[in-house]
Amino acid sequence: KAGVTQTPRYLIKTRGQQVTLSCSPISGHRSVSWYQQTPGQGLQFLFEYFSETQRNKGNFPGRFSGRQFSNSRSEMNVSTLELGDSALYLCASSLVQGISNEQFFGPGTRLTVL
Amino acid sequence: AQSVTQLDSQVPVFEEAPVELRCNYSSSVSVYLFWYVQYPNQGLQLLLKYLSGSTLVKGINGFEAEFNKSQTSFHLRKPSVHISDTAEYFCAVSEVKAAGNKLTFGGGTRVLVKP
């Protein structure tokens, strides 16, 4: 069974641009969560989608948004990029909603903002 | 709201020696507890989790952790480490009654296993 895939793996953008990251969950998984990992702030929850609906949202500005498609694939978008948005963005999927179900993480997309 | 503190940012250890990684949490509600490992240039892999029941939890790769409710701790241990255990380890919690999946992570502990 294929794991969680994230594309692209690496991305370089400049300040003010926007970026879209993609996450394909494990087949059959309906919940997708996104996390930002930086050296300074560590791992922080961005949002979670389940059945195309955002169920949880972390404490990030409105420049960070996401969506989920009917096939459970998810995208996150960051508009008006800032230098501080440079980070590893991790996506995680789980079979059903509910924390007792294990979350499987993808390898991440490393975003560099110049 | 929950918070997680990993007391050691780095832990050097010799191969075949035991290791303990400390994790304390703060929460006004009941939580589930997790330990994840992150190898270089990879995502997170679940080592073990505490949902309920026995406070001693056994995970993959020979790791185990003990939940101590009175001390709000969930320390991770391995009796004998290998070079391949060199990685960053994250403790995480999630609210039991919350809808959905939201993990709150500690700052991580880098383990460097020396030959």
Side-chain angles (χ1 to χ4, degrees):
Chain A
K1 205 175 200 181
V4 178
T5 57
Q6 292 187 245
T7 57
R9 289 293 312 275
Y10 302 90
L11 205 49
I12 299 176
K13 292 285 187 178
T14 56
R15 279 180 297 173
Q17 288 187 308
Q18 76 165 16
V19 67
T20 299
L21 311 182
S22 180
C23 172
S24 293
I26 292 171
S27 177
H29 285 197
R30 296 169 61 191
S31 169
V32 174
S33 300
W34 289 89
Y35 294 84
Q36 182 197 62
Q37 185 177 20
T38 61
Q41 299 299 316
L43 278 155
Q44 294 185 285
F45 174 80
L46 279 157
F47 29 65
E48 182 213 359
Y49 287 87
F50 178 74
S51 293
E52 302 178 64
T53 301
Q54 187 181 87
R55 292 303 301 254
N56 276 302
K57 189 177 189 307
N59 189 26
F60 278 81
R63 300 185 297 106
F64 292 82
S65 62
R67 60 178 175 169
Q68 187 180 34
F69 302 95
S70 58
N71 62 357
S72 294
R73 189 178 69 86
S74 177
E75 289 182 346
M76 67 163 282
N77 185 76
V78 188
S79 62
T80 319
L81 284 165
E82 300 176 359
L83 294 179
D85 297 333
S86 293
L88 181 66
Y89 290 88
L90 293 165
C91 162
S93 75
S94 63
L95 190 57
V96 294
Q97 192 177 23
I99 197 64
S100 61
N101 291 289
E102 178 179 348
Q103 292 190 61
F104 293 82
F105 283 80
T109 293
R110 184 164 296 282
L111 171 65
T112 302
V113 182
L114 303 176
Chain B
Q2 300 87 41
S3 67
V4 180
T5 302
Q6 292 183 240
L7 298 163
D8 305 295
S9 59
Q10 293 189 69
V11 173
V13 58
F14 285 105
E15 194 174 16
E16 298 184 6
V19 70
E20 178 180 81
L21 309 184
R22 297 178 292 168
C23 171
N24 285 89
Y25 69 93
S26 173
S27 178
S28 56
V29 299
S30 296
V31 294
Y32 297 128
L33 297 133
F34 306 82
W35 275 99
Y36 284 86
V37 61
Q38 185 177 34
Y39 299 102
N41 298 316
Q42 294 187 28
L44 303 176
Q45 180 183 8
L46 181 68
L47 281 176
L48 47 79
K49 59 187 176 185
Y50 174 78
L51 304 180
S52 65
S54 173
T55 57
L56 182 62
V57 180
K58 293 191 183 297
I60 62 171
N61 301 340
F63 285 93
E64 63 180 33
E66 185 152 21
F67 170 54
N68 188 317
K69 189 173 182 179
S70 63
Q71 296 187 5
T72 61
S73 69
F74 190 52
H75 300 334
L76 180 71
R77 302 183 185 96
K78 185 169 183 178
S80 176
V81 296
H82 303 289
I83 295 290
S84 59
D85 292 321
T86 293
E88 190 158 19
Y89 294 79
F90 293 92
C91 180
V93 302
S94 184
E95 192 176 324
V96 169
K97 291 187 177 178
N101 299 319
K102 177 185 174 182
L103 291 166
T104 299
F105 286 91
T109 298
R110 288 187 183 275
V111 173
L112 176 60
V113 181
K114 303 176 181 180

